[in-house]
Amino acid sequence: METFGRARSRVPPAAPWYGAMAMVLLALASTVVAADARKGDETTASTGKVAVASPPTRRNVTLICQSVPYPGACETALSSAEARLAAGDPFTGSTQFAVSRATSARALARNLSASAPPSGLRDCAELLDITVSQLRDALAQSAADAEGATTWLSAALTNQDTCNDSLAAVPASPGRDALRRQVGALARFISTSLALHVGNVKGRSGSGSGDIPPAPAPSPGGGSATTFPSWLSEHDRRLLESPATNITPDAVVAQGGSGTHRSIGEAIAAVRRAASPAGAKARGGRGVVGASRRKVIYVKAGRYVERVSLTYQEENVMLVGDGKGKTILDSYNSAAGGYTILTSATLASRGAGFIVKGMSILNSAGPDKGQAVALLVMGDRSVVYQCEIKAFQDTLFTHSNRHFYADDDIAGTVDFIFGNSAAVFQGCNIQARAPVPGQPDVVTAHGRDDPNQNTGFSFHMCRITAAPDLGRTPVYLGRPWRKYARVAVMKTFMEASVSPAGWLEWSESDPSALNTLYYGEYGNSGPGAATNGRVKWRGVHRSMSAAEAMEFTVGRLISGDSWLGGTGVRYTSGL
């Protein structure tokens, strides 16, 4: 593998199951099947989703599972004790089974990492902890917040890919190998739950295709760049609209001693202690019950060399600086220095509701140090606003869940915006820097690994440019990290440095990925925007229709009209 390569998991192509799954679930919803006498369980369904007796007969299990990506895993889950206790609801049974398997894998990861130095084992233990919470959130909210449940299941599945990638760098041992097997199996069980949930949603809505729900009507002015996506509160909107000096923070960081703390890490620790009431419960998807108040940390101008990490329990945290180039957070951690891709991040946020505004977030390890992340974002409904994010390979790891990036400057070399989130970049400056000789300059590496994940990258009204030292190195819009990668570039200016081919094949990819990915362009401008020379892969859409482009807007891809408006971030809901 090249020094700029990245591990790539492989999954078999999934059958076009959407319509079939919806029809099967609808049919079963109107059928009451006698319980298997051998099981002695006469419980009947009462959930109102898929109303079959508990447990389903082998015939119905086979019928349900024949159209999901992993039929064998599906049959195992729906034949389990958890499924027999699930009142005949296949989604509930499969997800409860996935929770039990995730809990077992987490226990093994914790045991293995307890006596080991920081490594991929520790990354996996944390990822599995988050997974358990996300699965429980999806189970609890599958009906009330269907899109949220799809997001959390998609994120839980992404966690297994990341865990597997981290374990690949851990020396082989019986324990590591056993954990890899458990994580691989867990991914198939989560994929089954995701497929069943999407099938339920389509059955209720009567939709047989598409995986992004219709956008709610935007608030007045929502179609212009003068309002903010509505999933952020009115309080958060005011925070983002206000200068840093007008905000009343919970902590102030100043190197000269004029604040409450001299480092960002110290301020986060203090806020953590103050904002953790007894009995607060961490939630991987939706938040910390009982501790949801916004916590604001004001970081005064200065250069802070430290690694800052927020756990998934630390939600609704806002870091606000004095502006790009004024408040600077930097580090030098990299793969070459022995760090994992997660621990290399200068700033890592795992909790939901994260906001950062007016800061420069850098990783200065250098172009020859391999993966060296500046910013890692994992939490749902996170916002990065008016920031500079600058490194070389793997600058921004937009890992999972729903994110919004606005008015940011993002610079790097290889795959410098990567991950498997649903993320919209609006009004951002994307700059390709000079890589190590022989390396490609690639903007995106999207990691969608399952056809039911509601993830993708959208670049809307951005600028893609070259750093002055780039020379004649061509810039590619993206390459498929995993086989269902999804990226759209819309109404964006592209300099001549963008290669006429537009997109680059992954060096180790299954050729079928070129058919299953989705790369689209719509209404772009500039000398690099001409599409007549683009690669001719089946998954490349050189000129999307307006209807196709709408699927990648704030209102559709990240359900932005339901949560961004309260943050104060200005956005355009539609095209």
Side-chain angles (χ1 to χ4, degrees):
M1 181 183 295
E2 306 93 336
T3 58
F4 54 86
R6 178 180 287 107
R8 184 176 187 274
S9 67
R10 301 164 65 91
V11 297
W17 62 276
Y18 303 103
M21 173 59 70
M23 291 174 63
V24 167
L25 293 176
L26 281 171
L28 290 176
S30 62
T31 304
V32 177
V33 182
D36 188 333
R38 291 175 299 174
K39 305 298 183 183
D41 188 345
E42 297 179 354
T43 305
T44 57
S46 60
T47 64
K49 294 178 186 175
V50 181
V52 296
S54 178
T57 65
R58 178 172 296 279
R59 177 177 179 273
N60 281 325
V61 166
T62 301
L63 182 63
I64 292 168
C65 294
Q66 67 184 1
S67 299
V68 304
Y70 299 100
C74 177
E75 293 191 21
T76 297
L78 296 189
S79 301
S80 67
E82 289 81 4
R84 292 197 297 274
L85 296 172
D89 179 358
F91 167 72
T92 298
S94 70
T95 306
Q96 288 176 342
F97 181 73
V99 169
S100 70
R101 296 299 293 262
T103 302
S104 296
R106 178 181 64 180
L108 176 58
R110 285 176 173 175
N111 183 54
L112 292 172
S113 64
S115 58
S119 69
L121 290 170
R122 193 167 296 180
D123 288 350
C124 276
E126 180 183 38
L127 289 163
L128 289 164
D129 207 24
I130 297 171
T131 295
V132 171
S133 290
Q134 288 169 332
L135 292 173
R136 288 172 174 163
D137 281 350
L139 191 59
Q141 294 291 305
S142 61
D145 185 1
E147 181 67 12
T150 306
T151 296
W152 305 325
L153 289 166
S154 297
L157 188 53
T158 300
N159 290 343
Q160 311 321 305
D161 284 336
T162 306
C163 176
N164 188 56
D165 290 346
S166 296
L167 289 176
V170 174
S173 69
R176 186 211 69 163
D177 294 344
L179 181 57
R180 291 192 78 175
R181 287 192 296 272
Q182 288 195 25
V183 167
L186 176 59
R188 294 189 286 275
F189 296 131
I190 295 172
S191 175
T192 294
S193 291
L194 177 60
L196 293 172
H197 171 66
V198 171
N200 273 338
V201 172
K202 295 184 188 304
R204 290 196 298 265
S205 67
S207 170
S209 63
D211 53 0
I212 300 174
S219 56
S224 69
T226 60
T227 60
F228 298 97
S230 61
W231 45 236
L232 289 166
S233 68
E234 181 68 25
H235 176 252
D236 288 342
R237 182 187 297 120
R238 289 196 298 270
L239 287 175
L240 283 166
E241 289 178 326
S242 301
T245 53
N246 291 352
I247 294 173
T248 303
D250 294 270
V252 178
V253 183
Q255 290 178 324
S258 61
T260 57
H261 303 85
R262 291 178 180 269
S263 76
I264 302 172
E266 290 173 358
I268 289 173
V271 169
R272 178 188 304 144
R273 290 190 296 269
S276 297
K281 186 177 181 182
R283 310 299 296 173
R286 291 178 288 127
V288 175
V289 178
S292 60
R293 182 183 69 83
R294 171 69 59 196
K295 284 79 68 178
V296 180
I297 299 173
Y298 170 36
V299 187
K300 290 188 175 183
R303 185 171 181 270
Y304 302 84
V305 180
E306 55 180 304
R307 180 178 178 268
V308 175
S309 182
L310 292 158
T311 69
Y312 79 96
Q313 294 99 334
E314 293 171 307
E315 298 180 321
N316 298 318
V317 172
M318 178 180 185
L319 299 178
V320 56
D322 282 324
K324 303 172 187 175
K326 296 179 180 178
T327 298
I328 302 169
L329 175 62
D330 198 359
S331 77
Y332 298 85
N333 301 334
S334 68
Y339 291 86
T340 68
I341 194 166
L342 296 183
T343 60
S344 73
T346 301
L347 172 58
S349 174
R350 297 162 177 81
F354 173 68
I355 301 176
V356 57
K357 173 190 175 184
M359 292 181 62
S360 288
I361 305 162
L362 317 178
N363 188 316
S364 298
D368 59 343
K369 299 299 182 181
Q371 297 168 316
V373 176
L375 176 62
L376 163 66
V377 184
M378 294 178 66
D380 196 21
R381 297 181 173 185
S382 293
V383 176
V384 180
Y385 186 45
Q386 296 179 345
C387 288
E388 177 188 27
I389 310 162
K390 187 175 183 179
F392 295 93
Q393 181 175 343
D394 294 354
T395 299
L396 171 60
F397 195 175
T398 173
H399 182 271
S400 54
N401 287 299
R402 292 167 287 194
H403 305 162
F404 184 61
Y405 300 83
D407 300 342
D408 297 316
D409 300 332
I410 307 170
T413 57
V414 182
D415 305 336
F416 62 92
I417 301 174
F418 74 109
N420 191 25
S421 66
V424 174
F425 299 81
Q426 202 165 85
C428 294
N429 294 312
I430 312 298
Q431 187 182 72
R433 305 180 72 186
V436 171
Q439 287 185 345
D441 224 317
V442 187
V443 176
T444 69
H446 193 249
R448 185 168 177 251
D449 206 21
D450 188 285
N452 297 304
Q453 290 178 309
N454 60 349
T455 59
F457 292 163
S458 172
F459 296 85
H460 187 205
M461 300 186 295
C462 295
R463 291 177 58 86
I464 300 177
T465 63
D469 63 349
L470 184 65
R472 304 181 71 174
T473 302
V475 177
Y476 295 91
L477 300 175
R479 58 178 184 157
W481 182 11
R482 307 196 197 277
K483 70 181 303 177
Y484 295 100
R486 188 159 60 171
V487 180
V489 184
M490 311 185 301
K491 292 192 172 183
T492 288
F493 176 84
M494 304 185 202
E495 284 188 350
S497 55
V498 173
S499 168
W503 310 91
L504 184 66
E505 184 174 357
W506 192 272
S507 61
E508 299 177 26
S509 68
D510 179 344
S512 66
L514 307 183
N515 298 323
T516 53
L517 60 79
Y518 189 104
Y519 285 158
E521 298 180 56
Y522 175 82
N524 299 313
S525 61
T531 61
N532 57 310
R534 295 294 193 249
V535 290
K536 302 300 192 294
W537 308 335
R538 179 180 174 185
V540 170
H541 303 261
R542 294 183 291 170
S543 182
M544 293 190 296
S545 67
E548 290 170 330
M550 278 295 296
E551 300 296 320
F552 293 90
T553 59
V554 166
R556 300 293 290 272
L557 183 62
I558 61 173
S559 305
D561 292 321
S562 70
W563 63 277
L564 268 171
T567 63
V569 177
R570 296 180 180 181
Y571 78 107
T572 298
S573 176
L575 286 174

